Amino acid sequence: SLFYLELFDDSINNLNESTKINQKDDETFFYLGEVHNKLNNLKEAIKYYEKSIELNPKYLYSLYGLGSLYYNLGKNETALKYL
């Protein structure tokens, strides 16, 4: 996938197109969170991880991604809610 090839701009474009087709795919929002996290767009990453979790509260990758992001920001109590 484009994400693993680190073609992040292309990944964002494709993932955004995917959300237009299916607005309930938690995995798509997870990957948007991952891409923005890699690009250090942390507000966007949080938004997309939260959307993924909203759609599927048990999706472990999103929970871990968001928890790890908060942990790396030094927000340990918030991180524990997701890890």
Side-chain angles (χ1 to χ4, degrees), residues 9 13 19-20 23 25 35 39 44 53 55 59 66 70 82:
D9 290 334
N13 291 335
T19 63
K20 292 175 185 174
Q23 297 173 355
D25 183 16
V35 171
L39 293 173
E44 288 293 302
I53 293 166
L55 292 169
Y59 190 58
L66 186 56
Y70 279 127
Y82 300 100

Side-chain angles (χ1 to χ4, degrees), residues 52-64:
S52 177
I53 293 166
E54 176 188 319
L55 292 169
N56 182 356
K58 295 182 180 183
Y59 190 58
L60 295 178
Y61 291 112
S62 293
L63 292 166
Y64 181 79

Side-chain angles (χ1 to χ4, degrees), residues 20-58:
K20 292 175 185 174
I21 296 167
N22 183 358
Q23 297 173 355
K24 297 189 185 253
D25 183 16
D26 56 309
E27 195 171 339
T28 300
F29 288 103
F30 161 72
Y31 277 110
L32 278 165
E34 287 286 281
V35 171
H36 284 287
N37 197 358
K38 291 274 188 188
L39 293 173
N40 210 30
N41 299 332
L42 302 183
K43 285 184 179 181
E44 288 293 302
I46 290 168
K47 177 178 83 173
Y48 288 117
Y49 285 138
E50 287 177 343
K51 179 65 176 178
S52 177
I53 293 166
E54 176 188 319
L55 292 169
N56 182 356
K58 295 182 180 183

Side-chain angles (χ1 to χ4, degrees), residues 2 16 31 41 76:
L2 296 170
N16 281 331
Y31 277 110
N41 299 332
N76 297 339

